[in-house]
Short mmCIF file of all heavy atoms in Angstrom, two decimals:
data_model
loop_
_atom_site.label_atom_id
_atom_site.label_comp_id
_atom_site.label_asym_id
_atom_site.label_seq_id
_atom_site.Cartn_x
_atom_site.Cartn_y
_atom_site.Cartn_z
N GLU Y 27 -12.52 1.45 -11.84
CA GLU Y 27 -11.24 0.96 -11.14
C GLU Y 27 -10.56 0.04 -11.95
O GLU Y 27 -9.27 0.08 -12.02
CB GLU Y 27 -11.55 0.40 -9.71
CG GLU Y 27 -10.37 0.34 -8.76
CD GLU Y 27 -9.93 -1.15 -8.87
OE1 GLU Y 27 -10.64 -2.08 -9.35
OE2 GLU Y 27 -8.78 -1.29 -8.44
N VAL Y 28 -11.15 -0.94 -12.61
CA VAL Y 28 -10.62 -1.82 -13.44
C VAL Y 28 -9.99 -1.11 -14.76
O VAL Y 28 -8.78 -1.36 -15.00
CB VAL Y 28 -11.54 -2.95 -13.93
CG1 VAL Y 28 -10.90 -3.69 -15.20
CG2 VAL Y 28 -11.97 -3.89 -12.86
N LEU Y 29 -10.68 -0.11 -15.31
CA LEU Y 29 -10.13 0.58 -16.40
C LEU Y 29 -8.89 1.27 -15.93
O LEU Y 29 -7.85 1.41 -16.63
CB LEU Y 29 -11.19 1.52 -16.93
CG LEU Y 29 -10.85 2.38 -18.11
CD1 LEU Y 29 -10.22 1.58 -19.36
CD2 LEU Y 29 -11.90 3.30 -18.44
N GLU Y 30 -8.97 1.96 -14.69
CA GLU Y 30 -7.87 2.60 -14.21
C GLU Y 30 -6.56 1.77 -14.14
O GLU Y 30 -5.47 2.18 -14.53
CB GLU Y 30 -8.15 3.30 -12.93
CG GLU Y 30 -6.98 4.13 -12.26
CD GLU Y 30 -7.33 4.70 -11.01
OE1 GLU Y 30 -8.06 4.04 -10.22
OE2 GLU Y 30 -6.95 5.89 -10.70
N ARG Y 31 -6.84 0.59 -13.51
CA ARG Y 31 -5.61 -0.39 -13.31
C ARG Y 31 -5.04 -0.72 -14.85
O ARG Y 31 -3.85 -0.81 -14.97
CB ARG Y 31 -6.17 -1.70 -12.71
CG ARG Y 31 -6.34 -1.52 -11.27
CD ARG Y 31 -7.20 -2.70 -10.61
NE ARG Y 31 -6.78 -3.95 -11.14
CZ ARG Y 31 -7.51 -5.05 -11.00
NH1 ARG Y 31 -8.75 -5.01 -10.68
NH2 ARG Y 31 -7.11 -6.17 -11.43
N HIS Y 32 -6.00 -0.90 -15.78
CA HIS Y 32 -5.48 -1.30 -17.09
C HIS Y 32 -4.70 -0.16 -17.76
O HIS Y 32 -3.58 -0.32 -18.37
CB HIS Y 32 -6.63 -1.57 -17.93
CG HIS Y 32 -6.26 -2.14 -19.31
ND1 HIS Y 32 -5.84 -3.56 -19.45
CD2 HIS Y 32 -6.21 -1.66 -20.54
CE1 HIS Y 32 -5.54 -3.54 -20.79
NE2 HIS Y 32 -5.70 -2.59 -21.45
N LEU Y 33 -5.17 1.18 -17.60
CA LEU Y 33 -4.50 2.24 -18.29
C LEU Y 33 -3.16 2.47 -17.63
O LEU Y 33 -2.26 2.89 -18.27
CB LEU Y 33 -5.40 3.42 -18.21
CG LEU Y 33 -6.81 3.45 -18.90
CD1 LEU Y 33 -7.47 4.73 -18.87
CD2 LEU Y 33 -6.42 3.08 -20.49
N ILE Y 34 -3.05 2.20 -16.35
CA ILE Y 34 -1.71 2.32 -15.63
C ILE Y 34 -0.86 1.25 -16.26
O ILE Y 34 0.34 1.56 -16.40
CB ILE Y 34 -2.01 2.19 -14.13
CG1 ILE Y 34 -2.67 3.51 -13.51
CG2 ILE Y 34 -0.56 2.11 -13.47
CD1 ILE Y 34 -2.95 3.32 -12.09
N ALA Y 35 -1.33 0.11 -16.37
CA ALA Y 35 -0.53 -1.10 -16.80
C ALA Y 35 0.04 -0.84 -18.11
O ALA Y 35 1.22 -1.24 -18.39
CB ALA Y 35 -1.31 -2.35 -16.70
N ILE Y 36 -0.73 -0.15 -19.09
CA ILE Y 36 -0.22 0.11 -20.36
C ILE Y 36 0.48 1.41 -20.57
O ILE Y 36 0.91 1.74 -21.70
CB ILE Y 36 -1.30 -0.12 -21.48
CG1 ILE Y 36 -2.25 0.99 -21.27
CG2 ILE Y 36 -1.88 -1.56 -21.36
CD1 ILE Y 36 -3.43 1.07 -22.51
N GLY Y 37 0.66 2.16 -19.45
CA GLY Y 37 1.30 3.49 -19.41
C GLY Y 37 0.64 4.66 -19.92
O GLY Y 37 1.24 5.72 -20.13
N LEU Y 38 -0.76 4.54 -19.91
CA LEU Y 38 -1.56 5.61 -20.27
C LEU Y 38 -1.86 6.52 -19.16
O LEU Y 38 -2.30 7.69 -19.30
CB LEU Y 38 -2.82 5.12 -21.05
CG LEU Y 38 -3.42 6.14 -22.15
CD1 LEU Y 38 -2.54 6.49 -23.12
CD2 LEU Y 38 -4.57 5.37 -22.79
N MET Y 39 -1.80 5.99 -17.99
CA MET Y 39 -1.95 6.78 -16.72
C MET Y 39 -0.86 6.49 -15.70
O MET Y 39 -0.25 5.48 -15.80
CB MET Y 39 -3.37 6.36 -16.08
CG MET Y 39 -4.58 6.87 -16.82
SD MET Y 39 -6.11 6.57 -15.83
CE MET Y 39 -6.04 7.68 -14.52
N GLN Y 40 -0.68 7.44 -14.84
CA GLN Y 40 0.40 7.25 -13.84
C GLN Y 40 -0.33 6.88 -12.47
O GLN Y 40 -1.32 7.45 -12.09
CB GLN Y 40 1.16 8.60 -13.58
CG GLN Y 40 2.02 9.03 -14.76
CD GLN Y 40 3.17 8.09 -14.95
OE1 GLN Y 40 3.80 7.56 -14.05
NE2 GLN Y 40 3.50 7.92 -16.24
N GLY Y 41 0.17 5.79 -11.88
CA GLY Y 41 -0.41 5.33 -10.66
C GLY Y 41 0.10 6.08 -9.38
O GLY Y 41 1.27 6.58 -9.59
N GLN Y 42 -0.50 6.21 -8.47
CA GLN Y 42 -0.10 6.74 -7.21
C GLN Y 42 0.76 5.81 -6.41
O GLN Y 42 0.25 4.95 -5.61
CB GLN Y 42 -1.20 7.36 -6.37
CG GLN Y 42 -1.95 8.44 -7.05
CD GLN Y 42 -3.05 9.04 -6.19
OE1 GLN Y 42 -3.43 8.46 -5.19
NE2 GLN Y 42 -3.65 10.12 -6.74
N GLN Y 43 2.17 5.88 -6.61
CA GLN Y 43 2.92 4.86 -5.87
C GLN Y 43 3.62 5.47 -4.71
O GLN Y 43 4.09 6.62 -4.78
CB GLN Y 43 3.96 4.41 -6.95
CG GLN Y 43 3.43 3.69 -8.06
CD GLN Y 43 2.70 2.32 -7.70
OE1 GLN Y 43 3.07 1.71 -6.74
NE2 GLN Y 43 1.82 1.87 -8.59
N LEU Y 44 3.75 4.74 -3.67
CA LEU Y 44 4.49 5.14 -2.51
C LEU Y 44 5.85 4.84 -2.63
O LEU Y 44 6.33 3.89 -3.27
CB LEU Y 44 3.95 4.50 -1.18
CG LEU Y 44 2.55 4.70 -0.88
CD1 LEU Y 44 2.16 3.84 0.34
CD2 LEU Y 44 2.27 6.13 -0.65
N ASP Y 45 6.79 5.77 -2.19
CA ASP Y 45 8.22 5.50 -2.18
C ASP Y 45 8.65 4.63 -1.17
O ASP Y 45 7.78 4.13 -0.32
CB ASP Y 45 9.09 6.67 -2.24
CG ASP Y 45 8.84 7.59 -0.90
OD1 ASP Y 45 8.70 7.01 0.09
OD2 ASP Y 45 8.91 8.79 -1.06
N GLU Y 46 9.97 4.05 -1.18
CA GLU Y 46 10.29 3.00 -0.30
C GLU Y 46 10.23 3.47 1.13
O GLU Y 46 9.89 2.66 2.11
CB GLU Y 46 11.74 2.57 -0.67
CG GLU Y 46 12.38 1.46 0.14
CD GLU Y 46 11.46 0.12 -0.01
OE1 GLU Y 46 10.93 -0.06 -1.08
OE2 GLU Y 46 11.50 -0.72 0.86
N GLU Y 47 10.59 4.77 1.37
CA GLU Y 47 10.57 5.21 2.69
C GLU Y 47 9.06 5.31 3.24
O GLU Y 47 8.83 5.09 4.47
CB GLU Y 47 11.13 6.74 2.73
CG GLU Y 47 11.19 7.30 4.12
CD GLU Y 47 11.83 8.64 4.17
OE1 GLU Y 47 12.47 9.09 2.99
OE2 GLU Y 47 11.70 9.33 5.02
N GLN Y 48 8.16 5.77 2.46
CA GLN Y 48 6.73 5.76 2.96
C GLN Y 48 6.24 4.31 3.19
O GLN Y 48 5.58 4.10 4.20
CB GLN Y 48 5.93 6.40 1.86
CG GLN Y 48 6.08 7.85 1.69
CD GLN Y 48 5.39 8.47 0.47
OE1 GLN Y 48 5.34 7.99 -0.61
NE2 GLN Y 48 4.68 9.62 0.69
N ARG Y 49 6.70 3.33 2.33
CA ARG Y 49 6.21 1.89 2.52
C ARG Y 49 6.70 1.40 3.83
O ARG Y 49 6.02 0.77 4.56
CB ARG Y 49 6.51 1.07 1.24
CG ARG Y 49 5.74 1.37 0.05
CD ARG Y 49 6.02 0.20 -0.91
NE ARG Y 49 7.31 0.27 -1.51
CZ ARG Y 49 7.79 0.86 -2.47
NH1 ARG Y 49 6.76 1.45 -3.17
NH2 ARG Y 49 9.03 0.79 -2.97
N LEU Y 50 7.95 1.65 4.12
CA LEU Y 50 8.57 1.21 5.48
C LEU Y 50 7.86 1.84 6.60
O LEU Y 50 7.58 1.20 7.63
CB LEU Y 50 10.04 1.54 5.40
CG LEU Y 50 10.96 0.72 4.48
CD1 LEU Y 50 12.37 1.14 4.45
CD2 LEU Y 50 10.80 -0.91 4.74
N TYR Y 51 7.66 3.11 6.51
CA TYR Y 51 6.94 3.94 7.56
C TYR Y 51 5.63 3.28 7.89
O TYR Y 51 5.23 3.04 8.98
CB TYR Y 51 6.85 5.39 7.22
CG TYR Y 51 5.93 6.22 8.11
CD1 TYR Y 51 6.42 6.60 9.37
CD2 TYR Y 51 4.65 6.52 7.79
CE1 TYR Y 51 5.60 7.30 10.24
CE2 TYR Y 51 3.79 7.35 8.70
CZ TYR Y 51 4.32 7.62 9.83
OH TYR Y 51 3.43 8.39 10.78
N LEU Y 52 4.80 3.04 6.75
CA LEU Y 52 3.43 2.59 6.99
C LEU Y 52 3.45 1.02 7.54
O LEU Y 52 2.59 0.68 8.32
CB LEU Y 52 2.72 2.59 5.57
CG LEU Y 52 2.34 3.98 5.16
CD1 LEU Y 52 1.56 3.83 3.84
CD2 LEU Y 52 1.44 4.65 6.24
N ALA Y 53 4.41 0.32 7.03
CA ALA Y 53 4.62 -1.11 7.57
C ALA Y 53 4.94 -1.02 9.07
O ALA Y 53 4.38 -1.80 9.89
CB ALA Y 53 5.69 -1.80 6.80
N GLU Y 54 5.77 -0.04 9.55
CA GLU Y 54 6.09 0.06 10.93
C GLU Y 54 4.87 0.45 11.78
O GLU Y 54 4.64 -0.17 12.80
CB GLU Y 54 7.23 1.01 11.05
CG GLU Y 54 8.56 0.57 10.54
CD GLU Y 54 9.57 1.59 10.65
OE1 GLU Y 54 9.28 2.72 11.05
OE2 GLU Y 54 10.76 1.42 10.28
N LYS Y 55 4.06 1.33 11.12
CA LYS Y 55 2.89 1.83 11.77
C LYS Y 55 1.97 0.71 12.02
O LYS Y 55 1.29 0.40 13.07
CB LYS Y 55 2.25 2.89 10.92
CG LYS Y 55 2.91 4.31 11.17
CD LYS Y 55 2.31 4.91 12.51
CE LYS Y 55 2.74 6.40 12.63
NZ LYS Y 55 2.27 6.93 13.91
N ARG Y 56 1.81 -0.11 10.97
CA ARG Y 56 0.80 -1.20 10.97
C ARG Y 56 1.15 -2.22 11.98
O ARG Y 56 0.36 -2.82 12.71
CB ARG Y 56 0.72 -1.80 9.61
CG ARG Y 56 -0.28 -3.10 9.55
CD ARG Y 56 -0.65 -3.45 8.10
NE ARG Y 56 -1.44 -4.66 8.08
CZ ARG Y 56 -2.04 -5.04 7.09
NH1 ARG Y 56 -2.07 -4.29 6.01
NH2 ARG Y 56 -3.02 -6.03 7.14
N ALA Y 57 2.48 -2.55 11.94
CA ALA Y 57 3.03 -3.64 12.93
C ALA Y 57 2.90 -3.14 14.33
O ALA Y 57 2.43 -3.93 15.21
CB ALA Y 57 4.53 -3.85 12.55
N ALA Y 58 3.05 -1.86 14.63
CA ALA Y 58 3.03 -1.24 16.04
C ALA Y 58 1.46 -1.31 16.35
O ALA Y 58 1.14 -1.71 17.48
CB ALA Y 58 3.43 0.17 16.07
N TYR Y 59 0.56 -1.00 15.50
CA TYR Y 59 -0.81 -0.92 15.75
C TYR Y 59 -1.36 -2.38 16.00
O TYR Y 59 -2.13 -2.62 17.10
CB TYR Y 59 -1.69 -0.37 14.69
CG TYR Y 59 -3.15 -0.27 14.84
CD1 TYR Y 59 -3.66 0.79 15.67
CD2 TYR Y 59 -4.06 -1.19 14.30
CE1 TYR Y 59 -4.97 0.86 15.90
CE2 TYR Y 59 -5.44 -1.10 14.59
CZ TYR Y 59 -5.87 -0.08 15.29
OH TYR Y 59 -7.29 0.06 15.47
N GLU Y 60 -0.94 -3.39 15.25
CA GLU Y 60 -1.41 -4.70 15.41
C GLU Y 60 -0.85 -5.29 16.73
O GLU Y 60 -1.46 -6.06 17.41
CB GLU Y 60 -0.95 -5.54 14.34
CG GLU Y 60 -1.75 -5.33 12.92
CD GLU Y 60 -1.15 -5.96 11.78
OE1 GLU Y 60 0.02 -6.41 11.76
OE2 GLU Y 60 -1.87 -6.20 10.87
N ALA Y 61 0.38 -4.93 17.07
CA ALA Y 61 0.96 -5.41 18.28
C ALA Y 61 0.31 -4.79 19.52
O ALA Y 61 0.04 -5.46 20.50
CB ALA Y 61 2.46 -4.97 18.44
N GLN Y 62 -0.15 -3.56 19.30
CA GLN Y 62 -1.02 -2.86 20.35
C GLN Y 62 -2.24 -3.58 20.63
O GLN Y 62 -2.69 -3.65 21.83
CB GLN Y 62 -1.17 -1.38 19.94
CG GLN Y 62 -1.95 -0.61 20.96
CD GLN Y 62 -2.23 0.85 20.54
OE1 GLN Y 62 -1.24 1.38 19.97
NE2 GLN Y 62 -3.40 1.29 20.56
N LEU Y 63 -2.90 -4.01 19.58
CA LEU Y 63 -4.17 -4.69 19.70
C LEU Y 63 -4.10 -6.20 20.05
O LEU Y 63 -5.02 -6.83 20.45
CB LEU Y 63 -5.07 -4.55 18.41
CG LEU Y 63 -5.48 -3.18 18.05
CD1 LEU Y 63 -6.31 -3.29 16.70
CD2 LEU Y 63 -6.40 -2.55 19.08
N GLY Y 64 -2.78 -6.71 19.78
CA GLY Y 64 -2.63 -8.10 20.01
C GLY Y 64 -3.30 -9.04 19.04
O GLY Y 64 -3.71 -10.17 19.33
N VAL Y 65 -3.24 -8.55 17.81
CA VAL Y 65 -3.88 -9.27 16.61
C VAL Y 65 -2.73 -9.82 15.73
O VAL Y 65 -1.61 -9.31 15.67
CB VAL Y 65 -4.84 -8.42 15.83
CG1 VAL Y 65 -6.03 -8.10 16.78
CG2 VAL Y 65 -4.13 -7.33 15.18
N ASN Y 66 -3.07 -10.88 15.00
CA ASN Y 66 -2.15 -11.43 14.08
C ASN Y 66 -2.19 -10.58 12.83
O ASN Y 66 -3.15 -10.01 12.37
CB ASN Y 66 -2.47 -12.87 13.76
CG ASN Y 66 -2.47 -13.82 14.91
OD1 ASN Y 66 -1.45 -13.66 15.84
ND2 ASN Y 66 -3.34 -14.73 15.02
N LYS Y 67 -0.92 -10.60 12.16
CA LYS Y 67 -0.74 -9.73 10.90
C LYS Y 67 -1.69 -10.49 9.79
O LYS Y 67 -1.79 -11.65 9.68
CB LYS Y 67 0.62 -9.74 10.44
CG LYS Y 67 0.84 -9.07 9.17
CD LYS Y 67 2.34 -9.10 8.82
CE LYS Y 67 2.56 -8.24 7.57
NZ LYS Y 67 4.01 -8.24 7.27
N ALA Y 68 -2.52 -9.60 9.12
CA ALA Y 68 -3.42 -10.16 8.07
C ALA Y 68 -2.57 -10.49 6.77
O ALA Y 68 -1.58 -9.92 6.64
CB ALA Y 68 -4.39 -8.99 7.67
N GLU Y 69 -3.02 -11.49 6.19
CA GLU Y 69 -2.35 -11.97 4.98
C GLU Y 69 -2.59 -10.83 3.85
O GLU Y 69 -3.66 -10.13 3.91
CB GLU Y 69 -2.90 -13.27 4.41
CG GLU Y 69 -2.74 -14.48 5.31
CD GLU Y 69 -1.18 -14.70 5.45
OE1 GLU Y 69 -0.42 -14.51 4.38
OE2 GLU Y 69 -0.59 -15.03 6.47
N PRO Y 70 -1.64 -10.69 2.99
CA PRO Y 70 -1.86 -9.69 1.86
C PRO Y 70 -3.11 -9.77 1.19
O PRO Y 70 -3.55 -10.93 0.78
CB PRO Y 70 -0.67 -9.92 0.96
CG PRO Y 70 0.33 -10.61 1.81
CD PRO Y 70 -0.39 -11.46 2.86
#
């Protein structure tokens, strides 16, 4: 996994990146789930 991160960083591999719409969708899902459970948002 470390080697993978390094090869992505130097441009030898392509990382699986979410687009902005997907990131917003997952953030909304996470916020709704945490609100449903009544838990605090976890730190990054």
Side-chain angles (χ1 to χ4, degrees):
E27 190 265 345
V28 165
L29 177 61
E30 181 178 39
R31 284 163 48 200
H32 186 78
L33 295 183
I34 291 173
I36 66 175
L38 208 54
M39 289 184 69
Q40 293 293 325
Q42 296 181 349
Q43 299 292 334
L44 299 176
D45 59 35
E46 186 63 25
E47 183 178 347
Q48 289 173 315
R49 285 195 293 268
L50 289 174
Y51 170 77
L52 293 178
E54 290 174 0
K55 279 282 189 180
R56 177 169 181 164
Y59 183 79
E60 290 172 337
Q62 178 181 317
L63 293 181
V65 298
N66 294 325
K67 182 177 180 180
E69 291 297 322

